[in-house]
Amino acid sequence: MKVLHVITSLHMGGAEKLMVDLIPRLNKKGIECDLLTFDNTVTPFRQSLELSGVKIYDFGKNGSSYSLRNLIKLIPILKRYDIVHTHNTAPQLYAAMVSLLYPAISLVTTEHNTSNRRRNWKWYAPIDRWMYSRYRIVISISDKAEEKLLDYIPNLKTEHRVVYNGIPLNDYAKSIPNIQIQNEYPDIIKIFMIAGFRYQKDHPTAIKSLQYLPDNYHLFLVGDGVERKNCEKLTSNLYLNNRVHFMGKRSDVPSLLKTADICLISSHWEGFGLAAVEGMAAGVPVVASNIPGVAEVVKGAGVLFEQGNPKDLAKIITNLINDKNLYYQVSQACVKRAQDYSIEKMVNNYFNVYVELNNLNK
């Protein structure tokens, strides 16, 4: 059985992290899994997959995901595979189009969010309905992600199911704190946010919250992306340059989270909230915006704040740091909740999907 995953890039993000955690493990279980990216920018995720021996196709660097050249290049590659599994809009759409030429290919896609901008375009809905109709199975990463998809396409006839994301729990639980950061900021409350700089992730609310926190509370932003310059400008305008640290892309996230006092997710929307599980597994209290998807993961373990409200966020962080008993209770509840999202469970669920499709194709 040959499976090809198709994704726009391997920059920082939940879908991209899924590729790193999933594909090498599926290969070890006997499924021949390769990867195709529209953008071949070198990132820690890409380097990790290459070190794992994963075969990666790519279509160049910094080009538009929606270039028609990508569609043409897909045609000779997709026909070599029994199952094509897509992530993100452009791969979803272009694979659906190629399937018109090769109907024997079984298409699978994963919905990584509870929302996206195209769902606000009424004119695009018929395109989405047609696109999803080309897929054999649509996988959502949370109950809320599936619920929102079915709200958007009420009569979706394609088979759909939920497979929760998972992480290698021991990598986070047994990681060692970053000594350099500890030594450089010995008396600092360290708030870490692991997220690509995109509008969805709402870094501005995290930055603004520092205005309502004591000076020894610092924000460490791990990641990169199109919104970074705007966030740097906001930081400067608020005179917070010495308290907001732009860490860039990092490959040592487990170690960074072990260094954190708080793990923060400030998103406008999320399908799941993988960063929340990573923080929980590291034993760090997770503070997240109260939005569908991530709230399912965090509620009852971490603490939720009103999305987009920096004062509420600051108040919650202050309460956690000042109340040692509360801090301990939340951190322990987070560790316990993380056990629900093991990498083994996730890999087995995807493995079963591919076996099921392969048996149906015989």
Side-chain angles (χ1 to χ4, degrees):
M1 184 194 328
K2 297 183 67 176
V3 178
L4 178 69
H5 284 262
V6 187
I7 194 167
T8 50
S9 74
L10 287 169
H11 293 289
M12 178 173 284
E16 294 80 4
K17 183 64 163 60
L18 177 65
M19 301 297 93
V20 175
D21 289 337
L22 179 63
I23 294 177
R25 288 175 171 84
L26 286 172
N27 281 330
K28 289 180 180 179
K29 288 175 72 70
I31 293 180
E32 186 179 340
C33 262
D34 299 332
L35 177 65
L36 186 153
T37 67
F38 287 5
D39 181 338
N40 71 351
T41 300
V42 177
T43 67
F45 284 168
R46 186 182 188 90
Q47 291 171 327
S48 176
L49 284 165
E50 288 175 340
L51 286 173
S52 298
V54 174
K55 182 178 181 180
I56 303 177
Y57 303 92
D58 63 70
F59 290 162
K61 186 176 183 179
N62 297 327
S64 169
S65 296
Y66 292 94
S67 168
L68 287 178
R69 284 178 292 183
N70 291 340
L71 174 60
I72 294 169
K73 290 176 181 178
L74 273 177
I75 294 173
I77 298 175
L78 263 57
K79 68 178 183 179
R80 305 173 196 167
Y81 291 85
D82 305 301
I83 297 170
V84 173
H85 191 148
T86 64
H87 311 265
N88 313 131
T89 301
Q92 285 177 323
L93 179 60
Y94 283 178
M97 295 170 72
V98 173
S99 74
L100 294 172
L101 297 175
Y102 303 105
I105 298 173
S106 291
L107 293 185
V108 180
T109 193
T110 296
E111 284 293 304
H112 292 275
N113 273 303
T114 55
S115 181
N116 55 56
R117 293 186 180 184
R118 75 180 192 268
R119 292 186 189 178
N120 296 321
W121 308 333
K122 292 184 178 179
W123 61 269
Y124 200 91
I127 299 174
D128 264 345
R129 281 196 293 271
W130 172 83
M131 181 190 78
Y132 285 113
S133 73
R134 300 299 304 171
Y135 282 82
R136 299 284 296 275
I137 297 177
V138 177
I139 297 170
S140 296
I141 63 172
S142 70
D143 296 319
K144 276 295 179 181
E146 182 181 64
E147 179 184 318
K148 293 294 185 180
L149 175 63
L150 296 180
D151 286 344
Y152 175 57
I153 305 179
N155 299 313
L156 180 64
K157 295 180 180 179
T158 301
E159 184 178 346
H160 48 87
R161 61 186 66 176
V162 174
V163 174
Y164 291 112
N165 280 343
I167 65 169
L169 297 174
N170 284 339
D171 288 359
Y172 294 84
K174 297 181 179 180
S175 185
I176 299 172
N178 185 297
I179 302 301
Q180 180 180 349
I181 294 175
Q182 284 187 327
N183 291 339
E184 190 172 352
Y185 305 100
D187 301 315
I188 296 301
I189 302 301
K190 304 170 188 66
I191 306 164
F192 270 77
M193 182 168 167
I194 316 293
F197 281 81
R198 302 189 296 275
Y199 170 79
Q200 172 194 351
K201 302 299 181 179
D202 191 16
H203 290 80
T205 292
I207 294 168
K208 291 174 184 176
S209 72
L210 290 184
Q211 299 174 99
Y212 310 104
L213 289 166
D215 289 345
N216 66 324
Y217 285 62
H218 285 207
L219 179 63
F220 296 78
L221 301 175
V222 180
D224 209 344
V226 295
E227 292 293 325
R228 176 167 173 169
K229 288 185 178 179
N230 291 334
C231 291
E232 290 173 342
K233 184 177 180 180
L234 174 63
T235 298
S236 181
N237 290 342
L238 296 176
Y239 303 101
L240 293 170
N241 288 323
N242 64 325
R243 296 174 59 199
V244 179
H245 309 277
F246 293 86
M247 308 289 287
K249 299 174 183 176
R250 300 287 292 243
S251 59
D252 58 342
V253 169
S255 177
L256 295 177
L257 286 173
K258 272 291 186 181
T259 314
D261 296 294
I262 298 289
C263 173
L264 173 61
I265 294 91
S266 182
S267 303
H268 289 295
W269 70 83
E270 286 285 353
F272 178 77
L274 191 66
V277 178
E278 292 174 340
M280 290 175 174
V284 181
V286 171
V287 177
S289 49
N290 191 4
I291 54 172
V294 72
E296 292 177 70
V297 177
V298 174
K299 190 174 183 179
V303 186
L304 299 170
F305 73 95
E306 181 184 357
Q307 199 285 315
N309 187 335
K311 287 186 178 180
D312 188 42
L313 172 56
K315 180 181 178 181
I316 286 171
I317 291 174
T318 303
N319 288 343
L320 276 170
I321 297 300
N322 290 341
D323 189 334
K324 291 184 179 180
N325 288 333
L326 176 63
Y327 186 94
Y328 176 78
Q329 290 169 8
V330 172
S331 64
Q332 291 302 109
C334 285
V335 170
K336 184 177 179 180
R337 177 64 58 80
Q339 305 309 307
D340 295 337
Y341 303 103
S342 72
I343 192 71
E344 293 79 14
K345 185 183 297 184
M346 181 192 75
V347 172
N348 285 336
N349 285 332
Y350 276 105
F351 178 87
N352 291 336
V353 167
Y354 299 146
V355 171
E356 176 186 334
L357 282 177
N358 191 55
N359 290 337
L360 289 174
N361 291 338
K362 289 180 179 178

